[in-house]
Amino acid sequence: MTRPRNTQPLTVQLLLGADWLTICGLSALTPGRGVAALLPDGRQAAVFRDRTGRTYAIDNRDPFSGAAVLSRGLTGSHQGRPFVASPLLKQRFDLESGRCLDDETVTVTTYEVRTHRDSEHTK
């Protein structure tokens, strides 16, 4: 007897404190492009999926301009490290550490991200 495969879609979740917050379905993330997510405390996160399928999340607020625009930035890599470049002033932020690659004194918040398949079935 074979078990049916779980057909629940994968979701993207951020760790906020001790809880995981579902942001969107993984299919909503286009590789190389970001989406903005409103967090319960009113802040925003910029969520990205790269071409290898890895997901990242950083604060959406550009610390240089104050605008919530990092989710609209261009993604790339520098010395093997994934980054997003602000669409306004073009500073690059490492998606893993949040460190600005153009000004090491500046960082943005990073969030732990996971993809999750809901294993609970509703009847």
Side-chain angles (χ1 to χ4, degrees):
M1 174 186 227
T2 61
R3 292 180 177 226
R5 293 193 330 159
N6 188 337
T7 58
Q8 296 294 327
L10 284 171
T11 60
V12 176
Q13 297 180 329
L14 302 185
L15 184 60
L16 300 177
D19 299 315
W20 289 98
L21 175 69
T22 298
I23 299 299
C24 62
L26 183 62
S27 63
L29 296 179
T30 301
R33 303 193 69 169
V35 298
L38 183 61
L39 303 179
D41 65 3
R43 291 179 297 146
Q44 293 181 25
V47 184
F48 300 91
R49 179 180 181 193
D50 69 16
R51 285 168 176 57
T52 68
R54 286 197 61 198
T55 52
Y56 307 92
I58 62 173
D59 188 43
N60 195 34
R61 186 180 165 279
D62 178 344
F64 292 95
S65 69
V69 296
L70 292 181
S71 63
R72 297 189 219 159
L74 298 174
T75 60
S77 65
H78 175 71
Q79 297 178 347
R81 304 283 299 185
F83 72 82
V84 63
S86 171
L88 297 179
L89 301 174
K90 309 303 184 228
Q91 283 89 356
R92 298 167 300 155
F93 296 91
D94 185 303
L95 290 172
E96 293 176 338
S97 70
R99 184 176 59 85
C100 179
L101 301 177
D102 303 298
D103 183 342
E104 293 186 10
T105 65
V106 178
T107 60
V108 294
T109 300
T110 60
Y111 298 93
E112 186 174 342
V113 183
R114 74 176 183 185
T115 54
H116 180 72
R117 189 178 312 273
D118 186 5
S119 60
E120 295 178 11
H121 299 290
T122 57
K123 294 187 179 196

